[in-house]
């Protein structure tokens, strides 16, 4: 990236913001997350992540950043709902005393979020800043 | 920068910040769910010590888990 060009570009604040977002998510991907959490805390964290993703996707659609009914929106929305079902199963297993199964369900939910939801949110956050 | 662009830029910041914070910062999740998590841990202790009937424990656990799921459920309803 040419910094001089950036400085001269009248949209440079947006370009710089885009760079910042890329750096944030690059760091995010490398972040070491404390996994010394109890199954209950892991499930609660999963709720927060998937819940935030759902609200963020809905906010993005309300703001016109992503179109409801588009392939990407539907793909992310379905993945969020599937992740929610995985968390529901996790809670059922937790309540029945199967904490290993509960954590496995939570991991399935996080896997859906990582593969199918977060990339869409990152993409549209970058596109909307251009 | 016109108003529409500014609005989208603010939304982009929201998305970047919320996405990052939710994923990276366990402290946020702990804080948001802390009351219900603490109550659930306390409930499990009571169950372990036999201080609460199985039926009552099951009812209380259902209530607390519903609280923990409410934020996600409200998000899902908006999709």
């Amino acid at each position: 990236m040419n910094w001089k060009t950036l400085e001269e570009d009248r949209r440079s604040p947006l370009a710089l913001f885009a760079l910042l977002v890329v750096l944030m998510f690059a760091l995010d991907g490398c972040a070491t997350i404390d996994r010394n959490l109890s199954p209950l805390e892991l499930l609660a964290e999963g709720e927060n992540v998937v819940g935030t993703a759902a609200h963020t996707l809905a906010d993005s659609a309300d703001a016109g950043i992503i179109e409801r009914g588009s392939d990407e929106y539907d793909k992310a929305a379905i993945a969020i709902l599937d992740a929610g079902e995985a968390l529901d199963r996790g809670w059922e297993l937790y309540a029945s005393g199967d904490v290993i199964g509960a954590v496995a369900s939570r991991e399935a939910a996080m896997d859906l979020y990582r593969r199918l939801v977060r990339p869409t949110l990152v993409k549209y956050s970058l596109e909307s800043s251009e | 920068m016109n108003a529409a662009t500014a609005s989208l830029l603010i939304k982009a910041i929201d998305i970047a910040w919320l996405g990052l914070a939710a994923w990276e910062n366990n402290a946020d999740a702990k804080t948001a769910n802390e009351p219900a998590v603490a109550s659930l841990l306390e409930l499990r202790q009571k169950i372990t010590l036999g201080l609460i009937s199985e039926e009552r424990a099951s009812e209380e656990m259902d209530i607390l888990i519903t609280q923990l799921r409410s934020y996600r459920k409200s998000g899902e309803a908006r999709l």
Side-chain angles (χ1 to χ4, degrees):
Chain A
M1 185 172 287
N2 187 329
W3 287 98
K4 187 173 177 58
T5 304
L6 272 179
E7 288 170 4
E8 291 170 351
D9 189 336
R10 65 184 177 85
R11 294 183 305 164
S12 63
L14 292 177
L16 283 169
F17 171 73
L19 176 64
L20 175 64
V21 171
V22 169
L23 287 172
M24 286 171 70
F25 280 100
L27 290 171
D28 182 25
C30 300
T32 300
I33 297 168
D34 179 14
R35 287 293 168 218
N36 295 322
L37 299 176
S38 70
L40 173 58
E41 289 169 322
L42 286 171
L43 282 167
E45 182 205 40
E47 286 290 337
N48 189 279
V49 170
V50 177
T52 301
H55 282 285
T56 303
L57 187 63
D59 286 343
S60 303
D62 292 345
I65 294 171
I66 184 169
E67 186 181 348
R68 280 192 168 86
S70 65
D71 287 346
E72 284 179 304
Y73 176 90
D74 286 347
K75 186 177 163 187
I78 289 168
I80 288 170
L81 296 175
D82 288 345
E85 286 183 8
L87 286 173
D88 286 341
R89 279 196 301 278
W91 283 116
E92 286 173 13
L93 292 167
Y94 177 80
S96 72
D98 181 1
V99 292
I100 293 174
V103 171
S105 285
R106 182 262 185 196
E107 273 307 309
M110 292 299 93
D111 182 55
L112 284 166
Y113 170 77
R114 279 191 293 264
R115 286 190 298 108
L116 301 172
V117 181
R118 196 174 70 162
T120 299
L121 296 180
V122 171
K123 177 187 172 187
Y124 279 92
S125 69
L126 292 176
E127 283 187 0
S128 65
S129 66
E130 288 174 352
Chain B
M1 185 186 300
N2 62 32
T5 305
S7 173
L8 287 176
L9 180 58
I10 289 168
K11 185 54 64 179
I13 292 169
D14 285 347
I15 291 169
W17 173 252
L18 288 175
L20 186 70
W23 178 247
E24 188 178 32
N25 192 349
N26 289 326
D28 280 358
K30 286 181 183 176
T31 301
N33 295 308
E34 194 170 15
V37 169
S39 298
L40 263 173
L41 288 172
E42 189 180 337
L43 181 61
R44 287 194 73 84
Q45 282 185 334
K46 286 183 183 174
I47 294 168
T48 304
L49 296 172
L51 299 175
I52 188 169
S53 71
E54 194 172 319
E55 187 180 353
R56 172 101 183 271
S58 177
E59 286 174 5
E60 287 194 20
M61 190 172 284
D62 284 347
I63 292 169
L64 292 169
I65 288 175
T66 299
Q67 282 178 18
L68 280 169
R69 294 195 293 196
S70 62
Y71 177 67
R72 169 173 58 86
K73 293 289 185 186
S74 67
E76 289 176 353
R78 295 179 59 204
L79 295 177

